[in-house]
């Protein structure tokens, strides 16, 4: 396994007291390589990212410094195979590491997810999908170019697919269109809520390939890495949201942007195949919120014990009502951890119906549960705990955003679980 380099910063303190892992490697049967990668993410998060999170949030500023540290530590290439210079983490290892980052800085974890997905989806996930030998060889050659940029130069990728309509929910073809031309495509369209806009080096855009006279079809979805500096790409609008402020999710416009064939992060038809056969690809937004759930609980225990840095050492733990609230939080946290761990562990191609329903349930549990825990934490810790000088109110605001993430919003998870539990494929009441 590649050696991980722990990043040092001015915020390092001599008496570093590391937090326990969210998922203890022995209890959750993780191997040493997994445990090392996850521990490196936790250490970077606790030592470095936690101290910077408030400023990124206050100023709605992209965590550029954190990305330099992610590159230095090797974590920018966490899901890139070792033969290409990455850490070679699988889906489960990535998810557990991302939860540890989310524990300390939600905006960094969420944007890091968009970046990592460009390598996870084009990497281990694509390896599970059908391609003829020539297509696979071409894909292997192309993805090596993307991997090299990330490993050698610290290139950052984003993943704008939302357009404001039903496309990001999986209902219709993306309105951003790629017209085939000699050597590539001309892309036109608009993406909203594009995290990392103005900060990514490449925008991993989902769009529809539409040849002259053809109708747009979801089957023809392309996943293209468009250079941020390409002619015709612009970032517009401002960004002043409730939470996840450091994600800088502004609007991206593409006006007659020429994109060469080598920019394809997946071959033709493979994104559609992935969406059908590898549904856990959409569960990757949840690790951030698993981490935020843990953070709300960690805060509460520390605060009630009178051990929260920056607050007077007043103990509140002796009150039965507060003990009950902590008990409720611990039960809720363990419930989220259990279903979420199971779902990220069984992510694979062609999951069973039960596994798919469980993935929706895990997403719902993490996204809604993180905010429920933050709400309970504020109620039981009390007024002084929600001052902006402490992380809890940021955890509360960031955690509120999880349910909004398409295609698996909390509403759409409920919708799918209810329908798919009651109807088999192709069944109707007509
Ligand atoms: C902090 C943050 C960061 C984000 N980063 C990214 C990013 O990097 N990339 C990205 O692509 N997106 C990102 N998003 C966008 C997110 O995934 C959603 O697309 C966005 O929140 C949807 O906003 P909306 O107001 O259009 O939602 P909605 O209006 O709720 O949904 C948009 C459309 O989806 C369909 N839809 C929604 N709910 C249902 C339902 N229950 N049943 C049927 N259809 C439904 C409808 O057609 C609806 O018009 C981010 C969002 C946030 C909050």
């Amino acid at each position: 396994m590649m050696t991980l380099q722990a990043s040092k910063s001015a915020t390092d303190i001599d008496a570093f007291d590391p937090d326990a892992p969210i998922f203890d490697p022995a209890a959750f049967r993780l191997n040493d390589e997994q445990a090392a990668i996850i521990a490196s993410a936790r250490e970077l998060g606790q030592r470095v990212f936690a101290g910077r999170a408030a400023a990124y949030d206050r100023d709605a500023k992209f965590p550029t410094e954190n990305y330099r540290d992610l590159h230095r530590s090797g974590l920018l290439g966490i899901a890139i195979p070792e033969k290409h210079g990455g850490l070679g983490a699988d889906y489960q290892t990535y998810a557990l590491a991302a939860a540890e980052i989310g524990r300390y800085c939600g905006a960094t974890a969420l944007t890091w997810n968009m970046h990592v997905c460009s390598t996870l989806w084009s990497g281990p996930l694509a390896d599970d999908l059908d391609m003829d030998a020539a297509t696979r060889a071409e894909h292997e050659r192309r993805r090596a170019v993307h991997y090299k940029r990330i490993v050698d130069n610290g290139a950052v990728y984003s993943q704008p697919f939302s357009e404001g309509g039903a496309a990001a929910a999986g209902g219709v073809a993306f309105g951003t269109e790629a017209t085939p031309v000699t050597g590539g495509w001309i892309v036109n369209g608009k993406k909203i809520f594009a995290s990392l806009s103005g900060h990514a080096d490449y925008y991993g855009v989902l769009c529809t390939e539409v040849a002259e006279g053809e109708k747009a079809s979801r089957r023809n979805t392309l996943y293209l890495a468009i250079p941020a500096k390409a002619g015709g790409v612009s970032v517009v609008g401002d960004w002043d949201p409730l939470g996840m402020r450091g994600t800088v999710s502004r609007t991206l416009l593409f006006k007659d942007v020429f994109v060469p064939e080598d920019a394809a992060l997946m071959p033709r038809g493979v994104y559609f195949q992935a969406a059908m056969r590898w549904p856990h690809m959409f569960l990757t937004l949840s690790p951030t919120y698993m981490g935020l759930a843990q953070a709300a609980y960690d805060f509460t225990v520390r605060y009630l014990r009178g051990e929260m840095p920056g607050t007077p050492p007043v103990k509140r733990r002796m009150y039965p009502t507060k003990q009950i609230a902590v008990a409720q939080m611990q039960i809720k946290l363990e419930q989220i951890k259990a279903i979420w761990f199971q779902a990220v562990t069984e992510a694979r191609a062609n999951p069973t119906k039960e596994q798919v329903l469980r993935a929706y349930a895990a997403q719902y549990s993490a996204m809604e549960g993180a905010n429920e825990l933050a709400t309970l934490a504020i109620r039981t810790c009390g007024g002084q705990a929600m001052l902006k000088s402490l992380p809890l109110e940021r955890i509360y605001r960031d955690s509120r955003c999880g349910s909004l993430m398409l295609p698996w919003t909390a509403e759409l998870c409920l919708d799918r679980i209810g329908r798919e539990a009651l109807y088999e494929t192709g069944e109707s009441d007509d």
Side-chain angles (χ1 to χ4, degrees), residues 110 114 159-162 164-166 168-169 192-195 239 243-244 247 249 401 404-406 409 411-412 415:
L110 195 62
M114 320 297 183
Q159 204 179 39
F161 56 88
S162 297
I192 66 162
F193 275 90
S195 290
W239 176 247
M244 289 294 181
T247 60
S249 307
C401 299
L404 316 179
M405 304 304 291
L406 286 171
T409 61
E411 283 185 350
L412 280 160
D415 186 44

Side-chain angles (χ1 to χ4, degrees), residues 26-43:
F28 287 87
R29 299 186 178 86
L30 305 174
N31 66 36
D32 291 347
E33 293 190 356
Q34 292 182 292
I37 293 173
I38 297 160
S40 126
R42 184 174 56 260
E43 186 178 338

